[in-house]
């Protein structure tokens, strides 16, 4: 009986370490479905996920890995066109936290997404679904 209890305790402890090791940075893995919800709540009124379909904001199709200010037929501010930024996880996270953090002029309705998990979910969604 003691062996059984010790085995169960060891398995439980190992499982808890395994789950912690899988977490990205203490808040869990980014969730693409949650990212879709964040996109729909905060971005979809101005941005499309379809190539060539600009709204108030530029299309976000293929945004991940793209040079900032490079969507054809969209009137970007000069600072964003000349920024030299490429949209990566880091630049998107910085930008989405507070768009003015990167020294670019933007006319976005939102002033930033404070919640780190929401930003990570949104970036994951854009990375995998806005191609």
């Amino acid at each position: 009986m003691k062996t059984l209890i010790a085995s169960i305790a060891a398995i439980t402890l190992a499982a808890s370490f395994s789950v912690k090791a899988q977490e990205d940075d203490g808040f869990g893995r980014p969730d693409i479905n949650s990212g879709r919800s964040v996109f729909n709540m905060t971005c979809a009124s101005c941005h499309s996920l379809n190539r060539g379909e600009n709204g108030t904001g530029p299309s976000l199709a293929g945004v991940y890995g793209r040079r900032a200010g490079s969507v054809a037929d969209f009137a970007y501010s000069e600072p964003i066109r000349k920024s030299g930024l490429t949209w990566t996880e880091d630049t998107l996270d910085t930008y989405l936290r507070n768009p003015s953090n990167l020294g670019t002029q933007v006319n976005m309705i939102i002033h930033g997404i404070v919640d780190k998990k929401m930003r990570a979910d949104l970036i994951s969604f854009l990375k995998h679904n806005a191609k």
Side-chain angles (χ1 to χ4, degrees):
M1 185 67 168
K2 287 182 183 180
T3 305
L4 178 62
I5 292 171
S7 295
I8 292 170
I11 290 169
T12 303
L13 185 60
S16 69
F17 281 120
S18 174
V19 168
K20 186 65 177 169
Q22 291 176 7
E23 293 180 353
D24 289 348
D25 59 4
F27 64 79
R29 293 176 183 263
D31 182 319
I32 292 171
N33 289 325
S34 292
R36 180 186 330 278
S37 295
V38 174
F39 177 85
N40 288 335
M41 288 186 309
T42 60
C43 311
S45 62
C46 296
H47 296 276
S48 171
L49 293 175
N50 299 317
R51 288 193 187 281
E53 186 178 295
N54 297 322
T56 304
S59 169
L60 296 181
V63 68
Y64 190 84
R66 182 172 76 204
R67 189 174 55 80
S70 64
V71 170
D73 300 326
F74 188 80
Y76 291 99
S77 67
E78 187 173 338
I80 201 146
R81 277 187 288 123
K82 293 183 175 185
S83 69
L85 295 172
T86 297
W87 296 120
T88 65
E89 287 183 24
D90 289 337
T91 54
L92 283 167
D93 184 63
T94 299
Y95 191 77
L96 291 169
R97 184 175 50 241
N98 181 348
S100 63
N101 280 346
L102 294 175
T104 58
Q105 291 177 332
V106 294
N107 296 319
M108 293 201 344
I109 294 171
I110 66 163
H111 297 285
I113 300 171
V114 176
D115 187 273
K116 185 175 184 174
K117 175 76 167 112
M118 287 176 67
R119 287 193 316 271
D121 292 346
L122 176 58
I123 292 166
S124 182
F125 171 74
L126 292 172
K127 184 177 180 179
H128 296 288
N129 291 294
K131 295 181 180 182

